[in-house]
């Protein structure tokens, strides 16, 4: 049940971020849900492999490489999914930051219940 709630909250977070960040377009809540699922799958597979391969460099850059990988995963999902469009690296970086912040807010509200 918690997993299903996480998916729905991620979809809601993506819709909110799309309204805030210029250059991000989401065509509806269903597209936002699918984008959230795809982001999770892509980060858990391709993103994980890239993080493992770049681990020493990630330590040297204090996690910056991990953030850049996350931004590229957002751009990858944008290219895969019709109805979810992120225009450029800067918009994807802002999207990744805002999505993480909103999901942190959702989790803090959930734990305070």
């Amino acid at each position: 049940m918690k997993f299903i709630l996480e998916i729905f909250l991620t979809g809601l977070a993506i819709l909110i971020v799309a309204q805030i960040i210029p250059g991000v377009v989401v065509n509806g809540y269903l597209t936002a849900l699918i984008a959230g699922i795809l982001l999770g799958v892509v980060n858990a597979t391709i993103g994980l492999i890239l993080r493992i391969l770049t681990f020493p460099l990630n330590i040297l850059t204090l996690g910056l490489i991990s953030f850049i990988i996350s931004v590229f995963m957002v751009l990858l999902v944008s290219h895969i999914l019709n109805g979810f469009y992120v225009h450029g690296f800067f918009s994807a970086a802002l999207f990744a930051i805002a999505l993480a912040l909103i999901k942190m807010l959702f989790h803090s509200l959930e734990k305070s219940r």
Side-chain angles (χ1 to χ4, degrees), residues 5-107:
L5 179 63
E6 180 72 25
I7 290 173
F8 284 116
L9 287 177
T10 301
L12 180 61
I14 289 173
L15 274 180
I16 292 169
V17 171
Q19 297 299 316
I20 296 170
I21 305 297
V24 178
V25 177
V26 178
N27 295 338
Y29 185 68
L30 181 62
T31 304
L33 280 175
I34 295 170
I37 293 169
L38 279 177
L39 274 171
V41 169
V42 166
N43 272 319
T45 55
I46 299 169
L48 179 64
I49 292 168
L50 289 174
R51 283 181 182 88
I52 291 170
L53 291 174
T54 60
F55 182 71
L57 190 57
N58 202 10
I59 291 173
L60 290 174
T61 62
L62 303 174
L64 182 63
I65 297 298
S66 185
F67 173 70
I68 291 172
I69 290 171
S70 294
V71 171
F72 280 120
M73 296 303 105
V74 169
L75 289 171
L76 177 64
V77 170
S78 172
H79 282 42
I80 292 172
L81 181 61
N82 288 331
F84 175 68
Y85 180 72
V86 180
H87 179 72
F89 185 85
F90 185 68
S91 292
L94 290 176
F95 176 86
I97 292 169
L99 184 64
L101 290 174
I102 290 175
K103 286 182 71 175
M104 279 179 16
L105 176 68
F106 285 167
H107 285 288

